[in-house]
Amino acid sequence: MIFPERCPGCDRVHKVGHHGFCDKCEPLIRIPQGNVCPYCGKPLPEELLCCPDCRGREEDGVIGQSAMLYSGMMRDSIARFKAGHRAEYAQTYAEYLWKTQRDFLEQMGDAVLIPVPMYDKKVRKRGYNQAELIAAALTKYCHYPAEKRLLRKIKETKAQKSLAKRERMANLEDAFWCDPEVAMLYLPGKCAIIIDDIYTTGATVQACARALRRVGFTEVYFLCVCIGVKV
């Protein structure tokens, strides 16, 4: 009664016993389907075989999937999740990730979930790291450990959404550091699955993957709640 569960789509309070997306919002969810990029899962026009962001980095790029498209109500949902103190949405996001990407997760065999880290000052301002909440909630379904100590953001950067594509990689240069001592708890044997809320150009995921590979992870993938729709 004090903290009622809300629908992540419309933010309305659920009836007692109901959770997840409400009956009105569930049909509005758009999922990646049809012709999609084989590397990141972004929807593509029929004439393209690979999205422009993944073209040219097929060899060292990070392959992954997302549960929903970052459009319509999910734009508002993610905005409330990150800046509107709706941390509880993480439970529904994780449930939907499991519902749509169970096969992707189970084929990994043995893995560790690694949330994209935030700079300490930003975490203090927001009160939580949204990727950590998603990763922690997802462990209930896939039973892979979530390790927030492994990857750290050591440089304050500009907001990625304010930058052009070419500026995003430069903005994240040397921004992430992987703790080699924590990495030894999972190496060798486990693959790394980077967890985040939104995938747009892939710059953040690629920067995190470089840090993980430097300490010995050879298999690195990503899983995000939403993926951008612009190519």
Side-chain angles (χ1 to χ4, degrees), residues 9-213:
C10 61
D11 201 45
R12 292 190 179 93
V13 175
H14 278 311
K15 296 178 181 178
V16 176
H18 192 90
H19 72 282
F21 290 98
C22 70
D23 294 339
K24 291 184 178 180
C25 290
E26 184 87 32
L28 301 179
I29 295 172
R30 297 177 60 200
I31 61 174
Q33 58 185 346
N35 187 37
V36 299
C37 177
Y39 302 102
C40 71
K42 187 176 294 183
L44 299 175
E46 289 300 326
E47 67 272 14
L48 294 182
L49 298 178
C50 173
C51 78
D53 295 316
C54 291
R55 189 179 301 121
R57 64 185 184 207
E58 292 92 338
E59 296 300 322
D60 61 351
V62 183
I63 295 174
Q65 299 289 337
S66 300
M68 296 171 273
L69 298 183
Y70 185 55
S71 63
M73 72 174 185
M74 287 311 301
R75 282 183 171 271
D76 295 333
S77 179
I78 293 291
R80 290 193 300 270
F81 177 51
K82 296 170 71 170
H85 305 291
R86 289 290 186 259
E88 66 269 24
Y89 287 2
Q91 300 297 324
T92 299
Y93 292 160
E95 183 178 0
Y96 215 81
L97 275 170
W98 178 246
K99 177 181 176 180
T100 60
Q101 303 301 329
R102 181 171 181 171
D103 290 344
F104 175 81
L105 282 162
E106 289 185 336
Q107 71 182 2
M108 297 302 164
D110 201 8
V112 55
L113 307 180
I114 304 173
V116 170
M118 291 169 56
Y119 193 63
D120 290 345
K121 185 169 75 173
K122 192 170 184 179
V123 175
R124 290 194 295 269
K125 182 179 180 180
R126 181 173 295 172
Y128 54 87
N129 176 348
Q130 70 275 1
E132 287 183 7
L133 298 181
I134 297 167
L138 191 56
T139 61
K140 300 175 184 178
Y141 300 98
C142 64
H143 305 298
Y144 296 145
E147 182 55 84
K148 64 181 182 180
R149 301 172 300 167
L150 185 56
L151 200 59
R152 290 176 55 194
K153 191 171 186 181
I154 57 175
K155 185 175 77 173
E156 189 172 14
T157 58
K158 297 178 182 178
Q160 288 289 89
K161 64 181 180 180
S162 66
L163 303 175
K165 288 183 180 181
R166 294 180 180 179
E167 298 174 315
R168 295 189 177 199
M169 290 303 296
N171 184 48
L172 294 172
E173 188 70 29
D174 298 322
F176 298 103
W177 175 78
C178 192
D179 190 323
E181 293 186 3
V182 178
M184 291 308 296
L185 299 174
Y186 303 98
L187 292 170
K190 290 186 184 292
C191 67
I193 304 177
I194 300 169
I195 304 294
D196 206 1
D197 55 345
I198 309 169
Y199 183 103
T200 49
T201 65
T204 300
V205 166
Q206 299 294 335
C208 290
R210 286 198 299 272
L212 291 166
R213 287 176 176 139

